[in-house]
Amino acid sequence: MSTPPTEAGQLVEELGRQARRLAAEVPGGLCRVSVRAGDATVELEWAASPDPRPAPEPEPEAGETDETGETVDAPLVGTFYHASEPGGPPFVRVGDVVAQDTVVGIVEAMKMMNKVLAGRAGTVTGVLVPDGDLVEYGQPLIALASGG
Amino acid sequence: MSTPPTEAGQLVEELGRQARRLAAEVPGGLCRVSVRAGDATVELEWAASPDPRPAPEPEPEAGETDETGETVDAPLVGTFYHASEPGGPPFVRVGDVVAQDTVVGIVEAMKMMNKVLAGRAGTVTGVLVPDGDLVEYGQPLIALASGG
Amino acid sequence: MFTKVLIANRGEIALRVARTCRELGIATVAVYSTADRDSTVTAFADESVHIGPPPAGRSYLSAPALVEAVRRTGADAVHPGYGFLSEDPDFAEVCAEEGIVFVGPDWPVLERLGDKASARELMLSAGLPLLPGSGGVCATEAECLRTAARLGLPVIVKAVAGGGGRGMAIARDEASLPAVYRETRATAQSLYGDGRVYVERYLDGARHVEIQVLADRHGNALALGDRDCSVQRRHQKLVEETPAPGLSPATREAMALAAVHGVRTAGLVGAATVEFLVDSDENFYFLEVNARLQVEHPVTEMVTGVDIVEQQLRLAAGEPLTLGEQDVRGRGAAVECRLNAEDPDRDFRATPGTLEVFHLPGGPFTRVDTHCVPGATISPYYDPLLAKIVTWGVDRRAALRRMDRALAEVRIEGPGVSVNTALLRRVLADPDFAAGTYSTALLTEMLTASGSAR
Amino acid sequence: MFTKVLIANRGEIALRVARTCRELGIATVAVYSTADRDSTVTAFADESVHIGPPPAGRSYLSAPALVEAVRRTGADAVHPGYGFLSEDPDFAEVCAEEGIVFVGPDWPVLERLGDKASARELMLSAGLPLLPGSGGVCATEAECLRTAARLGLPVIVKAVAGGGGRGMAIARDEASLPAVYRETRATAQSLYGDGRVYVERYLDGARHVEIQVLADRHGNALALGDRDCSVQRRHQKLVEETPAPGLSPATREAMALAAVHGVRTAGLVGAATVEFLVDSDENFYFLEVNARLQVEHPVTEMVTGVDIVEQQLRLAAGEPLTLGEQDVRGRGAAVECRLNAEDPDRDFRATPGTLEVFHLPGGPFTRVDTHCVPGATISPYYDPLLAKIVTWGVDRRAALRRMDRALAEVRIEGPGVSVNTALLRRVLADPDFAAGTYSTALLTEMLTASGSAR
């Protein structure tokens, strides 16, 4: 079935994007993906069933880079800091070129400092959250243009 | 948007047929018709609002001929009789040619005898309900082929 | 008990009755007009009969169609719900002649109570307090004017054949009375084929309070508490609650006694509601008897734990009333809101259409009665009631807060469909309503004050 | 009372808690994982916080995420619902340290009751009857075998850190005991990071009966009646009812007294359930304390008229218990059925998917708690509970017939989605269940007898 260049087609495309994003955030065990818009359906199913136990908690230090590559998002709920200490120099400024493992900020949750890594190479085009603000999971923190 | 010759198209056609049939059964005051299948919608709206009072009860003697012209349907709930008296000659037999006002049967409801008229000219191709059976509203009684 | 009951109604009440039948092990027959072919009760019932085209006169109001549907299915009883043929003595008489049990009072009782003038006389003879009035039919305009002069204005002119808030009009001054008299006669003639009217003094600022009564064939009768139904638009109820707020226990008891006595005097068997007007001094006056199930019966069910439809069926089957005062003692308070597909901003005009989104509340102490499902079409042929939301609480305040929570969960959307949810929430927020000091004037005053229903 | 409560849960219970908060005028904060972004409670609540990705370990089980969500929104209390962190002493302790009220018992109480061995000791000291057992942790296989020899077989090996039906296994003969012991240790280690187990005599044909208790900070405690939860699949409850059928009033009272005494001895404040096993001679034995809201709390609510979530909030806010015995006297009977997206024919495997059709019952004396709507997607990350259907009746028979009527109205369809409706109706139709003479063996026997769950 070809996707017509209509609103419905665009909807399907966006749904697909969301599905891929969700799948990317999950450590494993994906079992079925179904995308539907009106009568159009795309469905994928894998043989293995998902693991019912909670996944081992990964050390939340890498920022989640959204798949459009535009932002580095908060890896957990907490307070976002630009610098490692009050008044200290910020980890990154607009225009900085970062590598995958560059620390771009810190999210403090229950007195634990969690480094936020860029996750990919690029150039910082914006710092989206003021220093000291409370952020929720997935909230965009840093705008990042591809390449450097 | 053109209607493709698909299942959806057939669905729309069938929905349209149902809507027309419903509309035909109603004595007046039709206000809005909406036919939808997936994203395809046909909608018609009339300016006058329907009369909230019950319509005056028409004398139920004409059979309701369905719009395909294939059957004469029961105009009310009751007992269907082939003849005007027990053992008498039936009003019609298969092969009979009938006019619009030919009596094709009787439906008795609460001791009232209601004549069933053919409603249109044609040839009787079947008597669908045995003599003395209880019929519900709209139940096909007589099969009728067009012309004569 | 019956083995098969035909439900001569549609919408939420047909499903309501079918549910209790199922719970009692009674087979159910639904009837439907062409417009209701795919209704919820048709899917729910054990059998269904197509009784006619959409106009009620040829389907739900057609006694021959219903009687033949009973014969076709072999049902041994007919439950008429409310509205349609539920208080029609002719239908009840035909059922009796055909050997079908009509789940409601005997037809002579329906006839006596259905004529509002004879019902007044009957209750007067039973000693119930009545508003001063014409004491019978007002046959001429001159008689009407004389009566009004004697009673004092305002007066209300009512159709003898009316009921349920239809066929009545108020005259506030002498000048307007002749027109009101003539118009009410004309309306009554066109609605009921009976132009007779009578006249009563009209009480401003009164409350509409009613008593739910059950009575058996063996001389037992019992009141199941009261309901306040003063929130009305155009004499149609919108919000109902039990117990009626702020009444003294003495008044409550006196009304219950009067209602039970009135029902017994009428020789009524089954469930009935005796309606009263109550003034600010707690004087109460008989209005009419509704000799059938009421729309608002669920509030009484939630507070008393009595299934009123079950009681109707048992009483119609000739069983004696086994409930006593101790079984029907109310717990807490309950309120009902009627969700209608209507536009309060356009004089409550019905807004039929397709329900693309239809989401109703649930959860603790919340009851929902509806025949609608997402995708259903609300037909213009019948009343616009979509659902009844009923909430219970340990007290009135708790029940009302719960109702507001529940109404906030309602999401109903469809092209052209307007629902009165916002107006209902405005009623709950009204200071007089919240204080329980409202009267039948509440809604009119609210709408007049704001110039809008929203 | 609180001004803003964060609900640290998801699904039907998050909505359940939010509803009562709204009714009490308390602002609500919902939290959601990425999988629950468009959930009903997120739409219902005043605010929502995205706390993590779908796996519960990084969202609903993440104490830091929840505490930071509280700080971000300024909530003054956290309601944990059931499951997830509801009985986690570490989370409760962190809340206390951060100045957040945890709506549940104080953390030392959770710690003491969460360790099943110490809870046993505590209840033994309070004089509650216990099944003969190891009297503490069974540290070695040899000790386990000695204990079993002393108790007689069958025995049940239970994880000290277990609860809610997980981390336990039965050994029916001596030969199988070592394997059962080793496997339970391994399971406990992997599920809870705590491999300690203990051993109790196992009762065949016993019933699972629990007492709902409320206790305040001022020394008052009250039982709200009992519930029978013997219909279980793999130690998970499926059907629950109140009152427990067929118990003598003396046993009922003795269990209630024991439960209240146990809760007081533990110093527990809030709502809790004390679970017992009851044998055919009505001897009862302490099993465990669930120091939180139970899934099945609505049956108690329908019978007593008490909103248990409201009580939890009041008690957590330090208010004294104002309810007395006379306020919680039960009326009638209630039963709950859990609608799960699972396939009884495939060992109750969860069947996540999209609910294309989602129609639940309503009407008289019927309560529905659900977070699902048509079109919703059931995620594979969480438990498969779709809805709880609760019905009330004047007696057990009426409640059960009503439940069968209600279940017959359920229509849930979606690709790959299987729902256990038919199995629930089979339970209702089972002669032992209908007679009220069933035990925890009921479901297993039903499934074994038919070779199929349908």
Side-chain angles (χ1 to χ4, degrees), chain B residues 48-95:
Chain B
S49 69
D51 188 340
R53 288 172 306 161
E57 194 161 330
E59 192 61 21
E61 64 167 24
E64 327 251 322
T65 311
D66 84 347
E67 108 282 24
T68 64
E70 280 161 12
T71 60
V72 181
D73 304 338
L76 75 172
V77 190
T79 307
F80 181 57
Y81 291 113
H82 292 184
S84 58
E85 51 181 15
F91 293 108
V92 290
R93 288 194 174 83
V94 171

Short mmCIF file of all heavy atoms in Angstrom, two decimals, chain B residues 48-95:
data_model
loop_
_atom_site.label_atom_id
_atom_site.label_comp_id
_atom_site.label_asym_id
_atom_site.label_seq_id
_atom_site.Cartn_x
_atom_site.Cartn_y
_atom_site.Cartn_z
N ALA B 48 -35.47 23.19 7.60
CA ALA B 48 -36.58 23.04 8.54
C ALA B 48 -36.24 22.00 9.61
O ALA B 48 -35.67 20.97 9.32
CB ALA B 48 -37.84 22.61 7.78
N SER B 49 -36.61 22.28 10.86
CA SER B 49 -36.37 21.31 11.91
C SER B 49 -37.56 20.36 11.97
O SER B 49 -38.66 20.71 11.59
CB SER B 49 -36.19 22.03 13.25
OG SER B 49 -37.41 22.59 13.64
N PRO B 50 -37.32 19.14 12.43
CA PRO B 50 -38.40 18.15 12.41
C PRO B 50 -39.50 18.52 13.40
O PRO B 50 -39.24 19.13 14.43
CB PRO B 50 -37.70 16.87 12.84
CG PRO B 50 -36.49 17.32 13.59
CD PRO B 50 -36.09 18.63 13.00
N ASP B 51 -40.70 18.15 13.08
CA ASP B 51 -41.85 18.40 13.93
C ASP B 51 -41.74 17.52 15.17
O ASP B 51 -41.64 16.30 15.07
CB ASP B 51 -43.11 18.02 13.13
CG ASP B 51 -44.36 18.45 13.88
OD1 ASP B 51 -44.30 18.66 15.11
OD2 ASP B 51 -45.40 18.54 13.23
N PRO B 52 -41.72 18.13 16.38
CA PRO B 52 -41.54 17.31 17.58
C PRO B 52 -42.77 16.48 17.93
O PRO B 52 -42.68 15.53 18.67
CB PRO B 52 -41.26 18.36 18.66
CG PRO B 52 -41.90 19.62 18.16
CD PRO B 52 -41.84 19.55 16.65
N ARG B 53 -43.94 16.85 17.40
CA ARG B 53 -45.14 16.08 17.75
C ARG B 53 -45.20 14.79 16.93
O ARG B 53 -44.73 14.74 15.81
CB ARG B 53 -46.38 16.91 17.46
CG ARG B 53 -46.59 18.06 18.45
CD ARG B 53 -47.71 18.95 17.98
NE ARG B 53 -47.48 19.40 16.63
CZ ARG B 53 -48.42 19.89 15.84
NH1 ARG B 53 -49.65 19.96 16.25
NH2 ARG B 53 -48.12 20.33 14.64
N PRO B 54 -45.82 13.77 17.53
CA PRO B 54 -45.96 12.54 16.73
C PRO B 54 -46.77 12.83 15.47
O PRO B 54 -47.73 13.61 15.50
CB PRO B 54 -46.71 11.59 17.67
CG PRO B 54 -47.09 12.37 18.88
CD PRO B 54 -46.34 13.66 18.88
N ALA B 55 -46.37 12.24 14.37
CA ALA B 55 -47.10 12.44 13.13
C ALA B 55 -48.48 11.82 13.26
O ALA B 55 -48.65 10.83 13.97
CB ALA B 55 -46.35 11.78 11.98
N PRO B 56 -49.49 12.39 12.60
CA PRO B 56 -50.81 11.76 12.64
C PRO B 56 -50.70 10.34 12.08
O PRO B 56 -49.99 10.10 11.10
CB PRO B 56 -51.67 12.66 11.74
CG PRO B 56 -50.71 13.50 10.96
CD PRO B 56 -49.45 13.58 11.78
N GLU B 57 -51.39 9.43 12.73
CA GLU B 57 -51.22 8.02 12.36
C GLU B 57 -51.88 7.73 11.02
O GLU B 57 -53.09 7.86 10.89
CB GLU B 57 -51.82 7.14 13.46
CG GLU B 57 -51.41 5.69 13.34
CD GLU B 57 -51.64 4.97 14.67
OE1 GLU B 57 -51.54 5.60 15.72
OE2 GLU B 57 -51.90 3.77 14.63
N PRO B 58 -51.09 7.38 10.03
CA PRO B 58 -51.71 7.08 8.74
C PRO B 58 -52.45 5.74 8.80
O PRO B 58 -52.08 4.87 9.59
CB PRO B 58 -50.53 6.99 7.79
CG PRO B 58 -49.36 6.65 8.65
CD PRO B 58 -49.65 7.13 10.04
N GLU B 59 -53.46 5.60 8.00
CA GLU B 59 -54.17 4.33 7.95
C GLU B 59 -53.19 3.30 7.39
O GLU B 59 -52.75 3.39 6.26
CB GLU B 59 -55.39 4.47 7.02
CG GLU B 59 -56.38 3.33 7.09
CD GLU B 59 -56.99 3.16 8.48
OE1 GLU B 59 -56.96 4.14 9.28
OE2 GLU B 59 -57.48 2.08 8.78
N PRO B 60 -52.81 2.31 8.19
CA PRO B 60 -51.80 1.38 7.70
C PRO B 60 -52.40 0.34 6.77
O PRO B 60 -52.77 -0.73 7.22
CB PRO B 60 -51.25 0.76 8.97
CG PRO B 60 -52.39 0.83 9.95
CD PRO B 60 -53.27 1.97 9.53
N GLU B 61 -52.60 0.68 5.51
CA GLU B 61 -53.11 -0.37 4.64
C GLU B 61 -52.18 -0.67 3.47
O GLU B 61 -52.12 -1.79 3.02
CB GLU B 61 -54.53 -0.04 4.14
CG GLU B 61 -54.63 1.18 3.26
CD GLU B 61 -55.99 1.22 2.57
OE1 GLU B 61 -56.95 0.62 3.10
OE2 GLU B 61 -56.08 1.82 1.50
N ALA B 62 -51.46 0.33 2.99
CA ALA B 62 -50.52 0.03 1.91
C ALA B 62 -49.33 -0.73 2.46
O ALA B 62 -48.83 -0.42 3.53
CB ALA B 62 -50.03 1.32 1.25
N GLY B 63 -48.92 -1.76 1.76
CA GLY B 63 -47.68 -2.41 2.14
C GLY B 63 -46.53 -1.48 1.82
O GLY B 63 -46.63 -0.61 0.96
N GLU B 64 -45.42 -1.60 2.54
CA GLU B 64 -44.27 -0.77 2.24
C GLU B 64 -43.44 -1.55 1.20
O GLU B 64 -42.94 -2.62 1.49
CB GLU B 64 -43.44 -0.49 3.50
CG GLU B 64 -44.28 -0.41 4.77
CD GLU B 64 -44.41 0.99 5.35
OE1 GLU B 64 -43.41 1.74 5.30
OE2 GLU B 64 -45.48 1.33 5.85
N THR B 65 -43.36 -0.99 -0.01
CA THR B 65 -42.57 -1.65 -1.03
C THR B 65 -41.13 -1.18 -0.90
O THR B 65 -40.88 0.01 -0.94
CB THR B 65 -43.08 -1.30 -2.43
OG1 THR B 65 -44.49 -1.49 -2.44
CG2 THR B 65 -42.45 -2.19 -3.48
N ASP B 66 -40.22 -2.08 -0.69
CA ASP B 66 -38.86 -1.61 -0.48
C ASP B 66 -38.29 -1.09 -1.80
O ASP B 66 -38.75 -1.44 -2.88
CB ASP B 66 -37.98 -2.67 0.20
CG ASP B 66 -37.40 -3.67 -0.75
OD1 ASP B 66 -37.86 -3.72 -1.89
OD2 ASP B 66 -36.50 -4.41 -0.34
N GLU B 67 -37.30 -0.24 -1.70
CA GLU B 67 -36.94 0.56 -2.88
C GLU B 67 -36.22 -0.24 -3.96
O GLU B 67 -36.11 0.22 -5.08
CB GLU B 67 -36.16 1.83 -2.44
CG GLU B 67 -34.71 1.84 -2.76
CD GLU B 67 -33.92 0.98 -1.78
OE1 GLU B 67 -34.50 0.04 -1.14
OE2 GLU B 67 -32.73 1.24 -1.66
N THR B 68 -35.83 -1.45 -3.66
CA THR B 68 -35.28 -2.28 -4.73
C THR B 68 -36.41 -2.86 -5.56
O THR B 68 -36.17 -3.48 -6.59
CB THR B 68 -34.45 -3.45 -4.18
OG1 THR B 68 -35.33 -4.31 -3.44
CG2 THR B 68 -33.35 -2.97 -3.25
N GLY B 69 -37.66 -2.69 -5.06
CA GLY B 69 -38.81 -3.22 -5.80
C GLY B 69 -38.92 -4.71 -5.70
O GLY B 69 -39.67 -5.34 -6.44
N GLU B 70 -38.21 -5.31 -4.78
CA GLU B 70 -38.21 -6.77 -4.75
C GLU B 70 -39.27 -7.38 -3.85
O GLU B 70 -39.69 -8.50 -4.08
CB GLU B 70 -36.83 -7.27 -4.34
CG GLU B 70 -35.86 -7.25 -5.52
CD GLU B 70 -34.41 -7.29 -5.08
OE1 GLU B 70 -34.16 -7.57 -3.90
OE2 GLU B 70 -33.55 -7.03 -5.94
N THR B 71 -39.65 -6.67 -2.80
CA THR B 71 -40.63 -7.24 -1.86
C THR B 71 -41.67 -6.22 -1.44
O THR B 71 -41.45 -5.02 -1.48
CB THR B 71 -39.93 -7.77 -0.57
OG1 THR B 71 -39.25 -6.68 0.05
CG2 THR B 71 -38.94 -8.87 -0.88
N VAL B 72 -42.82 -6.77 -1.03
CA VAL B 72 -43.83 -5.97 -0.33
C VAL B 72 -43.69 -6.34 1.13
O VAL B 72 -43.73 -7.53 1.49
CB VAL B 72 -45.25 -6.30 -0.84
CG1 VAL B 72 -46.28 -5.45 -0.12
CG2 VAL B 72 -45.34 -6.14 -2.34
N ASP B 73 -43.47 -5.32 1.99
CA ASP B 73 -43.16 -5.59 3.40
C ASP B 73 -44.35 -5.29 4.29
O ASP B 73 -45.22 -4.48 3.93
CB ASP B 73 -41.97 -4.73 3.84
CG ASP B 73 -40.74 -4.97 2.94
OD1 ASP B 73 -40.67 -6.05 2.31
OD2 ASP B 73 -39.87 -4.09 2.89
N ALA B 74 -44.37 -5.93 5.47
CA ALA B 74 -45.49 -5.75 6.39
C ALA B 74 -45.57 -4.30 6.85
O ALA B 74 -44.58 -3.76 7.32
CB ALA B 74 -45.32 -6.67 7.60
N PRO B 75 -46.74 -3.69 6.73
CA PRO B 75 -46.88 -2.29 7.14
C PRO B 75 -47.08 -2.14 8.64
O PRO B 75 -47.07 -1.03 9.15
CB PRO B 75 -48.14 -1.84 6.39
CG PRO B 75 -48.95 -3.07 6.23
CD PRO B 75 -47.98 -4.22 6.11
N LEU B 76 -47.26 -3.23 9.34
CA LEU B 76 -47.39 -3.18 10.80
C LEU B 76 -47.20 -4.59 11.35
O LEU B 76 -47.10 -5.56 10.59
CB LEU B 76 -48.74 -2.59 11.22
CG LEU B 76 -50.02 -3.44 11.10
CD1 LEU B 76 -51.17 -2.70 11.76
CD2 LEU B 76 -50.33 -3.76 9.67
N VAL B 77 -47.10 -4.69 12.69
CA VAL B 77 -46.94 -5.99 13.34
C VAL B 77 -48.30 -6.67 13.40
O VAL B 77 -49.31 -6.02 13.68
CB VAL B 77 -46.40 -5.80 14.78
CG1 VAL B 77 -46.00 -7.13 15.38
CG2 VAL B 77 -45.23 -4.82 14.80
N GLY B 78 -48.35 -7.95 13.14
CA GLY B 78 -49.62 -8.65 13.24
C GLY B 78 -49.57 -10.00 12.57
O GLY B 78 -48.50 -10.53 12.28
N THR B 79 -50.75 -10.56 12.29
CA THR B 79 -50.84 -11.88 11.67
C THR B 79 -51.11 -11.70 10.17
O THR B 79 -52.03 -10.99 9.78
CB THR B 79 -51.98 -12.69 12.30
OG1 THR B 79 -51.80 -12.70 13.72
CG2 THR B 79 -51.97 -14.12 11.79
N PHE B 80 -50.30 -12.35 9.37
CA PHE B 80 -50.42 -12.23 7.92
C PHE B 80 -51.34 -13.32 7.39
O PHE B 80 -51.17 -14.49 7.69
CB PHE B 80 -49.03 -12.35 7.28
CG PHE B 80 -49.05 -12.23 5.78
CD1 PHE B 80 -49.59 -11.10 5.17
CD2 PHE B 80 -48.49 -13.23 4.99
CE1 PHE B 80 -49.59 -10.99 3.79
CE2 PHE B 80 -48.48 -13.11 3.60
CZ PHE B 80 -49.03 -11.99 3.00
N TYR B 81 -52.33 -12.89 6.62
CA TYR B 81 -53.24 -13.86 6.01
C TYR B 81 -53.17 -13.77 4.50
O TYR B 81 -53.15 -12.67 3.94
CB TYR B 81 -54.68 -13.62 6.48
CG TYR B 81 -54.89 -13.96 7.93
CD1 TYR B 81 -55.18 -12.96 8.86
CD2 TYR B 81 -54.78 -15.27 8.39
CE1 TYR B 81 -55.36 -13.26 10.20
CE2 TYR B 81 -54.96 -15.58 9.73
CZ TYR B 81 -55.24 -14.58 10.63
OH TYR B 81 -55.41 -14.88 11.95
N HIS B 82 -53.18 -14.93 3.86
CA HIS B 82 -53.14 -15.00 2.40
C HIS B 82 -54.51 -14.72 1.79
O HIS B 82 -54.59 -14.30 0.64
CB HIS B 82 -52.70 -16.40 1.94
CG HIS B 82 -51.28 -16.71 2.27
ND1 HIS B 82 -50.68 -17.87 1.87
CD2 HIS B 82 -50.35 -16.03 2.96
CE1 HIS B 82 -49.42 -17.90 2.31
NE2 HIS B 82 -49.21 -16.79 2.98
N ALA B 83 -55.56 -15.00 2.59
CA ALA B 83 -56.92 -14.93 2.03
C ALA B 83 -57.81 -14.15 2.97
O ALA B 83 -57.48 -13.93 4.14
CB ALA B 83 -57.48 -16.34 1.84
N SER B 84 -58.96 -13.72 2.46
CA SER B 84 -59.84 -12.89 3.27
C SER B 84 -60.62 -13.71 4.30
O SER B 84 -61.16 -13.18 5.24
CB SER B 84 -60.82 -12.12 2.37
OG SER B 84 -61.56 -13.05 1.61
N GLU B 85 -60.66 -15.05 4.10
CA GLU B 85 -61.29 -15.90 5.12
C GLU B 85 -60.60 -17.25 5.10
O GLU B 85 -59.99 -17.64 4.10
CB GLU B 85 -62.79 -16.05 4.83
CG GLU B 85 -63.08 -16.49 3.40
CD GLU B 85 -64.58 -16.60 3.12
OE1 GLU B 85 -65.36 -16.09 3.92
OE2 GLU B 85 -64.92 -17.24 2.12
N PRO B 86 -60.68 -17.97 6.23
CA PRO B 86 -60.01 -19.27 6.30
C PRO B 86 -60.48 -20.18 5.17
O PRO B 86 -61.69 -20.31 4.95
CB PRO B 86 -60.43 -19.83 7.67
CG PRO B 86 -60.82 -18.62 8.47
CD PRO B 86 -61.36 -17.62 7.48
N GLY B 87 -59.55 -20.77 4.45
CA GLY B 87 -59.88 -21.68 3.36
C GLY B 87 -60.28 -20.99 2.07
O GLY B 87 -60.48 -21.65 1.05
N GLY B 88 -60.42 -19.67 2.10
CA GLY B 88 -60.79 -18.93 0.90
C GLY B 88 -59.64 -18.86 -0.10
O GLY B 88 -58.51 -19.23 0.23
N PRO B 89 -59.93 -18.38 -1.30
CA PRO B 89 -58.86 -18.29 -2.32
C PRO B 89 -57.86 -17.19 -1.92
O PRO B 89 -58.27 -16.14 -1.39
CB PRO B 89 -59.62 -17.88 -3.59
CG PRO B 89 -60.87 -17.23 -3.09
CD PRO B 89 -61.20 -17.86 -1.78
N PRO B 90 -56.58 -17.44 -2.13
CA PRO B 90 -55.58 -16.43 -1.76
C PRO B 90 -55.72 -15.19 -2.62
O PRO B 90 -56.17 -15.27 -3.77
CB PRO B 90 -54.25 -17.14 -2.00
CG PRO B 90 -54.55 -18.21 -2.96
CD PRO B 90 -55.96 -18.63 -2.73
N PHE B 91 -55.32 -14.05 -2.06
CA PHE B 91 -55.36 -12.80 -2.82
C PHE B 91 -54.46 -12.89 -4.05
O PHE B 91 -54.83 -12.46 -5.13
CB PHE B 91 -54.90 -11.63 -1.94
CG PHE B 91 -55.85 -11.32 -0.81
CD1 PHE B 91 -55.54 -11.63 0.50
CD2 PHE B 91 -57.07 -10.72 -1.09
CE1 PHE B 91 -56.41 -11.33 1.52
CE2 PHE B 91 -57.96 -10.41 -0.06
CZ PHE B 91 -57.64 -10.73 1.26
N VAL B 92 -53.27 -13.43 -3.87
CA VAL B 92 -52.36 -13.59 -5.02
C VAL B 92 -51.64 -14.94 -4.95
O VAL B 92 -51.49 -15.51 -3.87
CB VAL B 92 -51.28 -12.46 -5.06
CG1 VAL B 92 -51.90 -11.12 -5.41
CG2 VAL B 92 -50.51 -12.37 -3.74
N ARG B 93 -51.26 -15.39 -6.14
CA ARG B 93 -50.43 -16.60 -6.25
C ARG B 93 -49.19 -16.24 -7.05
O ARG B 93 -49.19 -15.23 -7.76
CB ARG B 93 -51.19 -17.70 -7.01
CG ARG B 93 -52.33 -18.33 -6.25
CD ARG B 93 -52.77 -19.62 -6.95
NE ARG B 93 -53.77 -20.34 -6.19
CZ ARG B 93 -55.08 -20.07 -6.22
NH1 ARG B 93 -55.54 -19.10 -7.00
NH2 ARG B 93 -55.91 -20.77 -5.47
N VAL B 94 -48.15 -17.06 -6.96
CA VAL B 94 -46.95 -16.83 -7.76
C VAL B 94 -47.33 -16.79 -9.23
O VAL B 94 -48.11 -17.63 -9.68
CB VAL B 94 -45.89 -17.92 -7.50
CG1 VAL B 94 -44.74 -17.81 -8.49
CG2 VAL B 94 -45.38 -17.83 -6.06
N GLY B 95 -46.83 -15.79 -9.92
CA GLY B 95 -47.15 -15.63 -11.33
C GLY B 95 -48.22 -14.59 -11.59
O GLY B 95 -48.34 -14.10 -12.71
#
